[in-house]
Amino acid sequence: MMVKFAVACVFLFIIAIIDCKKFIIPDFILIVFFLTMLAFDLNKGEVSILSRITGAGVMFLIFLLVYYFSGGLGFGDVKLIGCITYTFGLNYSIYACMVASIMGLIFFGLNRVIGFGKIEKIPFAPFLTVGCIVILVLRGFFK
């Protein structure tokens, strides 16, 4: 399980760097990320694959609604949240999204107060990456 999460963190770091530089999350990386996590579960004989896919679908649909109605979230972020939910499970992905959102709001607020220039777009993948790592660390302490 530890190796799976370490590999997931590598994918998340790569995605975060690309999102910071290009404001896009390539579908190819998301597909490889998802298939790699699925392979880990199939190799281990996970019986919860269907429930993980269902949870990922639910989070995907929720964030798809946010994408369509708010316009503040990119479609790559929506797909990434689906991959994160499959990898870490529904409960932990909800916590990771909450941590990521709080950090994003703090970053946005500090940028407005300090005023290092107007930022028009903020990549969300780096916040999701840190949110996942925070939850993984806390999960390790509380389990």
Side-chain angles (χ1 to χ4, degrees), residues 2-135:
M2 197 73 140
V3 173
K4 176 184 174 183
F5 292 144
V7 171
C9 287
V10 170
F11 273 107
L12 289 171
F13 276 118
I14 292 169
I15 289 168
I17 290 168
I18 292 171
D19 196 25
C20 280
K21 290 184 177 189
K22 298 183 178 185
F23 291 99
I24 191 167
I25 302 172
D27 288 340
F28 176 75
I29 293 176
L30 290 172
I31 291 169
V32 173
F33 179 26
F34 175 76
L35 292 177
T36 303
M37 296 300 108
L38 183 64
F40 271 107
D41 291 343
L42 290 173
N43 188 31
K44 187 180 173 193
E46 276 290 321
V47 292
S48 63
I49 291 174
L50 186 59
S51 67
R52 286 184 178 272
I53 290 174
T54 303
V58 167
M59 284 293 277
F60 177 83
L61 290 174
I62 290 169
F63 279 85
L64 186 65
L65 290 172
V66 172
Y67 167 75
Y68 278 122
F69 291 115
S70 76
L73 195 63
F75 192 57
D77 297 319
V78 174
K79 294 180 279 189
L80 177 60
I81 289 167
C83 289
I84 288 171
T85 303
Y86 177 80
T87 303
F88 299 109
L90 186 60
N91 289 339
Y92 292 114
S93 66
I94 290 171
Y95 295 136
C97 288
M98 287 177 15
V99 170
S101 297
I102 291 168
M103 289 186 319
L105 286 170
I106 291 170
F107 176 82
F108 184 77
L110 286 175
N111 183 54
R112 290 290 180 189
V113 170
I114 297 172
F116 285 123
K118 287 243 179 182
I119 294 180
E120 293 179 22
K121 293 191 321 184
I122 299 173
F124 195 53
F127 297 110
L128 284 171
T129 299
V130 174
C132 287
I133 292 169
V134 166
I135 296 306

